[in-house]
């Protein structure tokens, strides 16, 4: 299977805590992207990290990429109840194809 | 204004029927996609069109036929619907520079 795997499948934390989600993949990539999906909605792009980058920040988001281990992590700092959603990593390969991971369901309790 | 729109949002139909889902994007993107998300939230690509030309065609039953009348529209027609077709179908679009994709709100298809 070319799909990525995300870990954990579900994560429940308290507001204000940090949330870390991990993603592993199997094929070579051009970039690695993270998306958020709120319940009943479409996916929303959060951040993209290119294969030659190791770390990227966007607001409360921090993404790392280790191409030697074929893994990435998404850190959400100072989480809020509104961060409750499913988070997906997606491997960007040639030809504008994205292959999505299985997702992590994050619940942030007020 | 909605960037990627899909209609209908919900579709309930009987087995054996034929149905269509429409998708439109006003972002000026050249590439559009159809994805299927199952009950476990697993998202799988079905088709991709670039400027009205089919570029990705995954292993999908030939009961599913995409149609792109112009680069702003990518419709999905499904013949002889089966119970296993029940899922949420997402349309997405992307520009040329990067792979960031913009998703529509989804169409929840329920086959009875």
């Amino acid at each position: 299977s070319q799909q990525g795997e995300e870990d954990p499948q579900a994560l429940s934390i308290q507001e204000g805590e940090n949330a870390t989600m991990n993603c592993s993949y199997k094929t070579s990539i051009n970039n690695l992207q993270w998306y958020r999906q709120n319940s009943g909605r479409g996916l929303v792009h959060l951040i993209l990290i290119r294969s030659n980058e190791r770390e990227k920040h966007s607001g409360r988001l921090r993404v790392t990429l280790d191409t030697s281990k074929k893994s990435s992590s998404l850190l959400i700092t100072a989480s809020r109840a509104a961060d409750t959603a499913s988070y997906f990593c997606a491997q960007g390969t040639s030809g504008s194809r994205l292959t999505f991971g299985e997702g992590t369901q994050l619940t942030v309790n007020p | 204004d909605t960037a990627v729109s899909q209609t209908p949002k919900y579709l309930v139909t009987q087995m054996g029927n034929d149905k269509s889902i429409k998708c439109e994007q006003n972002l000026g993107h050249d590439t559009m996609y159809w994805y299927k998300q199952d009950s476990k939230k697993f998202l799988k690509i079905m088709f991709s069109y670039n400027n009205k030309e089919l570029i990705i065609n995954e292993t999908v039953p030939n009961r599913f036929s995409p149609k792109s009348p112009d680069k702003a529209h990518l419709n999905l027609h499904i013949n002889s619907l089966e119970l296993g077709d029940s899922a949420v179908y997402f349309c997405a679009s992307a520009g040329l520079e990067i792979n960031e994709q913009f998703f529509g709100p989804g169409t929840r298809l329920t086959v009875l």
Side-chain angles (χ1 to χ4, degrees):
Chain A
S1 167
Q2 291 187 350
Q3 278 72 43
E5 294 182 359
E6 294 191 52
D7 170 51
Q9 288 189 335
L11 180 61
S12 182
I13 60 174
Q14 294 301 121
E15 218 167 15
E17 293 180 342
N18 296 342
T20 300
M21 289 161 268
N22 302 298
C23 167
S24 61
Y25 57 92
K26 298 178 181 177
T27 61
S28 297
I29 60 170
N30 293 334
N31 60 69
L32 194 291
Q33 302 179 37
W34 286 88
Y35 287 77
R36 183 186 73 219
Q37 184 180 29
N38 289 84
S39 181
R41 302 285 188 93
L43 280 74
V44 174
H45 182 265
L46 294 175
I47 194 166
L48 178 153
I49 185 166
R50 300 187 192 283
S51 59
N52 60 356
E53 297 175 312
R54 292 297 166 257
E55 187 170 315
K56 202 160 184 181
H57 297 253
S58 177
R60 294 185 295 114
L61 304 180
R62 173 178 166 249
V63 169
T64 62
L65 178 64
D66 186 336
T67 52
S68 66
K69 295 181 179 178
K70 290 187 166 60
S71 67
S72 174
S73 68
L74 171 67
L75 169 66
I76 304 174
T77 60
S79 63
R80 305 166 182 168
D83 294 330
T84 294
S86 294
Y87 291 82
F88 294 87
C89 68
Q91 301 101 58
T93 56
S94 61
S96 72
R97 176 189 291 264
L98 281 183
T99 302
F100 284 85
E102 298 171 345
T104 293
Q105 174 60 48
L106 173 66
T107 302
V108 181
N109 301 300
Chain B
D1 286 344
T2 305
V4 182
S5 59
Q6 294 177 229
T7 55
K9 188 167 172 61
Y10 299 97
L11 185 53
V12 181
T13 188
Q14 299 287 333
M15 254 186 356
N17 284 351
D18 303 338
K19 291 293 179 185
S20 292
I21 307 171
K22 295 186 177 181
C23 177
E24 177 181 1
Q25 55 95 3
N26 62 6
L27 298 167
H29 288 161
D30 285 328
T31 308
M32 296 184 71
Y33 307 82
W34 276 110
Y35 289 89
K36 178 181 180 181
Q37 187 174 45
D38 63 23
S39 58
K40 295 183 179 179
K41 293 196 174 180
F42 180 64
L43 198 68
K44 183 175 169 61
I45 189 167
M46 301 173 69
F47 302 102
S48 176
Y49 269 73
N50 180 272
N51 204 9
K52 299 197 299 175
E53 190 172 329
L54 182 66
I55 56 171
I56 297 175
N57 186 355
E58 292 296 292
T59 307
V60 176
N62 58 14
R63 299 182 294 103
F64 290 79
S65 53
K67 287 184 172 52
S68 183
D70 55 61
K71 75 174 193 177
H73 295 84
L74 180 61
N75 304 322
L76 184 64
H77 189 76
I78 314 170
N79 288 329
S80 303
L81 279 156
E82 301 178 356
L83 294 176
D85 297 333
S86 295
V88 182
Y89 292 84
F90 287 99
C91 175
S93 72
L96 286 175
E97 294 282 331
I98 56 175
N99 281 4
E100 176 186 350
Q101 295 187 11
F102 293 79
F103 281 76
T107 295
R108 182 174 292 276
L109 171 65
T110 303
V111 182
L112 304 174

